[in-house]
Amino acid sequence: MKRLIPILPAALLLMAAGPAELPTTKPPPAEANRQVLQVPLPTDKPPPAVLTAADIPGPACTPEHRALIDDALAEARTRLAAAIRLVREQPDHAHIARWFGDAPRKTIGITLDLTAARLADMTGLDVRCNDPAGCPGGRFAYARERDLVLGLCAPYFRARMEGTDARWGILIHEGSHIAANTRDHAYRPNGALALAKENASRAAENADNYEYFVETLPR
């Protein structure tokens, strides 16, 4: 018969083998806390916001307002002179027909002449800047013919000096109201162009037709 070798439990075998050896090396020391860069807070107050002419309250016009108005007046006078010359020398020019249809060129010329004269001499004109009473909503400017008031609002002082609705073009629009008693039958370029096709006599009375006629004049 074969002899049977008893199988001892694993626990007894481990005990017989002796205790497990512990590591003799010490673990590395814990990394020291890293220092956080401390940035000192600024102690100086930020500079005050720079006010533009659009932000300065009125109704009195300040030097900041006047500087922009004077630049626009100079440009309006130059452009009006070119427009008057075109109507006088080339009454059949396509640009005139585009904005005024077949309206009498004499009427157009007189309106331009009166507007140019008014903007050339501002004597007696009460110019008001950013007047809260006259500048509701997004109004650019306004004119009161009876008491010779020309009001310029915040959007006017934010307007550019090129393209349509330029600062100098707005002065032509409002100046034509005061000088030549123009009306507001239609607004914006599309309205003015449509008016020239549909009712030329009204186009010759409309302030926006004069503004855009001069602003888009070929140079």
Side-chain angles (χ1 to χ4, degrees):
M1 294 179 64
K2 294 182 179 180
R3 296 179 64 182
L4 299 175
I5 300 174
I7 300 174
L8 297 177
L12 295 177
L13 290 174
L14 290 173
M15 291 177 63
E21 294 184 1
L22 297 175
T24 58
T25 58
K26 295 182 179 180
E31 184 178 359
N33 293 334
R34 294 181 179 178
Q35 292 185 354
V36 179
L37 179 63
Q38 298 292 329
V39 179
L41 295 175
T43 56
D44 296 335
K45 292 182 179 180
V50 178
L51 294 180
T52 67
D55 304 312
I56 300 173
C61 297
T62 66
E64 290 81 1
H65 295 132
R66 289 288 181 186
L68 295 179
I69 296 169
D70 289 345
D71 285 347
L73 279 172
E75 188 67 20
R77 291 163 184 160
T78 299
R79 301 291 187 105
L80 277 167
I84 292 168
R85 188 163 53 250
L86 179 68
V87 173
R88 183 183 299 126
E89 297 176 359
Q90 301 181 59
D92 296 327
H93 197 285
H95 188 71
I96 304 172
R98 182 186 184 208
W99 292 103
F100 297 105
D102 60 358
R105 283 8 184 192
K106 183 177 180 180
T107 301
I108 299 166
I110 290 173
T111 301
L112 290 170
D113 282 335
L114 291 172
T115 303
R118 176 73 274 185
L119 296 184
D121 183 2
M122 303 286 281
T123 304
L125 198 59
D126 181 8
V127 181
R128 301 179 184 179
C129 298
N130 292 343
D131 183 2
C135 295
R139 177 181 287 181
F140 277 77
Y142 61 93
R144 295 208 305 262
E145 299 93 321
R146 291 184 179 179
D147 48 2
L148 297 180
V149 171
L150 172 62
L152 303 172
C153 305
Y156 171 82
F157 293 107
R158 296 191 187 101
R160 304 166 300 166
M161 281 288 283
E162 67 276 348
T164 56
D165 295 314
R167 284 202 306 275
W168 59 269
I170 294 169
L171 290 183
I172 292 174
H173 177 115
E174 303 302 339
S176 73
H177 281 320
I178 295 173
N181 201 31
T182 56
R183 293 289 176 255
D184 290 321
H185 296 307
Y187 288 106
R188 309 292 298 149
N190 287 342
L193 288 170
L195 191 62
K197 292 179 180 179
E198 297 164 5
N199 194 328
S201 62
R202 283 205 163 194
E205 297 174 349
N206 196 56
D208 260 4
N209 284 71
Y210 287 96
E211 175 183 344
Y212 298 131
F213 167 70
V214 182
E215 285 180 333
T216 61
L217 194 70
R219 301 189 71 184

